């Protein structure tokens, strides 16, 4: 959870995909990401590669492409709060040890954006070697694959050049979403399992506690 750096671990490479035309699949991929303003609360269990683990409550406010997030203990002590503007500008408002470690805030916000905001870049639809159809968002050298699953939820994988791989994108995180239910126009996951790869691999298990659509703010 604290680090997402390079390592000697072998990472999965970007899978080959044959382009197809499917507006319904593109629309379905888009439906997994909330639109407008939302407040979400999750129970979070995290596990680090060194065996350390813990629990927290995460509160997230989404406002278009901007967001605010907080991590709290089960008892209500605020451990970390930050804001990320639409342009990616990050402001850390509170960070108690060990959440004040260098790189933690940027890594956490990157994970939150990957899970809850529609991926940036140009989207295409394609068929994988096993016949499954998915969406691919290409943003420069960074790629996000969103694969709708038969159970109505999705699997997300992000890829980026790493270390000695040069310009070949390799997998940097996976998100397995389960129990997606309709909230307005969004298919929101009740359970999320995020696995980050790097020198200190980590797993976040998130269970949705509440999801509230917030009214738009008039300028």
């Amino acid at each position: 959870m604290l680090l997402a750096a390079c390592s000697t671990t072998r990472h999965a490479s970007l899978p080959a995909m044959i382009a197809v035309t499917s507006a319904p699949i593109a629309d379905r991929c888009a439906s997994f990401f909330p639109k407008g303003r939302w407040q979400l609360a999750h129970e979070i269990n995290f596990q680090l590669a060194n065996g350390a683990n813990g629990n927290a409550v995460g509160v997230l406010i989404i406002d278009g492409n901007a967001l605010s997030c907080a991590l709290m203990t089960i008892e209500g002590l605020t451990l970390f709060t930050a804001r990320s503007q639409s342009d990616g500008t990050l402001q850390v408002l509170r960070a108690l040890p060990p959440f004040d470690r260098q790189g933690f805030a940027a890594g956490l916000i990157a994970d939150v954006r990957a899970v809850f905001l529609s991926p940036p870049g140009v989207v295409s639809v394609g068929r994988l070697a096993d016949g499954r159809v998915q969406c691919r968002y290409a943003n420069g050298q960074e790629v996000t694959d969103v694969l709708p699953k038969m159970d109505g939820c999705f699997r997300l994988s992000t890829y980026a050049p790493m270390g000695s791989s040069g310009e070949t994108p390799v997998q940097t995180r996976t998100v397995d979403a389960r129990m997606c239910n309709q909230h307005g126009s969004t298919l929101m996951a009740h359970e999320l399992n995020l696995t980050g790869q790097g020198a200190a691999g980590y797993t976040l298990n998130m269970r949705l506690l509440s999801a509230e659509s917030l009214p738009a703010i008039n300028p």
Side-chain angles (χ1 to χ4, degrees):
M1 185 176 178
L2 303 179
L3 296 174
C6 301
S7 74
T8 56
T9 303
R10 185 176 181 84
H11 298 275
S13 58
L14 184 68
M17 186 181 84
I18 300 174
V20 299
T21 301
S22 178
I25 293 295
D27 291 342
R28 184 165 185 80
C29 291
S31 72
F32 296 127
F33 304 98
K35 308 293 190 301
R37 300 185 70 242
W38 287 84
Q39 178 173 292
L40 310 178
H42 290 87
E43 179 184 359
I44 303 171
N45 172 266
F46 63 89
Q47 299 176 332
L48 306 183
N50 63 6
N53 62 82
N55 298 288
V57 173
V59 178
L60 172 66
I61 295 178
I62 301 171
D63 187 359
N65 286 324
L67 56 85
S68 302
C69 68
L71 289 176
M72 299 177 291
T73 65
I74 303 299
E75 296 75 21
L77 173 65
T78 300
L79 304 170
F80 176 87
T81 58
R83 295 173 182 161
S84 178
Q85 304 299 330
S86 298
D87 62 1
T89 302
L90 175 62
Q91 180 184 14
V92 178
L93 305 176
R94 179 180 175 87
L96 300 183
F99 303 100
D100 58 347
R101 294 183 61 175
Q102 183 177 4
F104 170 79
L108 176 63
I109 293 299
D111 283 342
V112 172
R113 284 187 168 276
V115 175
F116 296 104
L117 299 188
S118 182
V122 178
V123 61
S124 60
V125 177
R127 191 179 306 277
L128 298 172
D130 60 9
R132 293 178 298 173
V133 179
Q134 68 168 17
C135 301
R136 174 163 291 173
Y137 299 79
N139 183 39
Q141 291 183 311
E142 298 182 352
V143 175
T144 302
D145 283 353
V146 179
L147 176 67
K149 300 192 299 183
M150 294 297 292
D151 63 4
C153 237
F154 67 96
R155 181 177 175 83
L156 180 149
S157 301
T158 60
Y159 301 84
M162 181 177 293
S164 60
S165 64
E167 296 183 359
T168 302
V170 295
Q171 194 174 81
T172 55
R173 71 168 66 79
T174 61
V175 179
D176 188 29
R178 305 185 185 96
M179 300 173 62
C180 285
N181 296 308
Q182 198 79 37
H183 289 261
S185 61
T186 304
L187 282 169
M188 202 166 292
H190 184 73
E191 295 180 359
L192 291 160
N193 179 274
L194 184 150
T195 300
Q197 302 179 16
Y202 58 96
T203 299
L204 303 180
N205 296 301
M206 306 173 65
R207 182 173 66 88
L208 184 66
L209 300 175
S210 64
E212 179 183 357
S213 179
L214 302 177
I217 298 177
N218 295 323

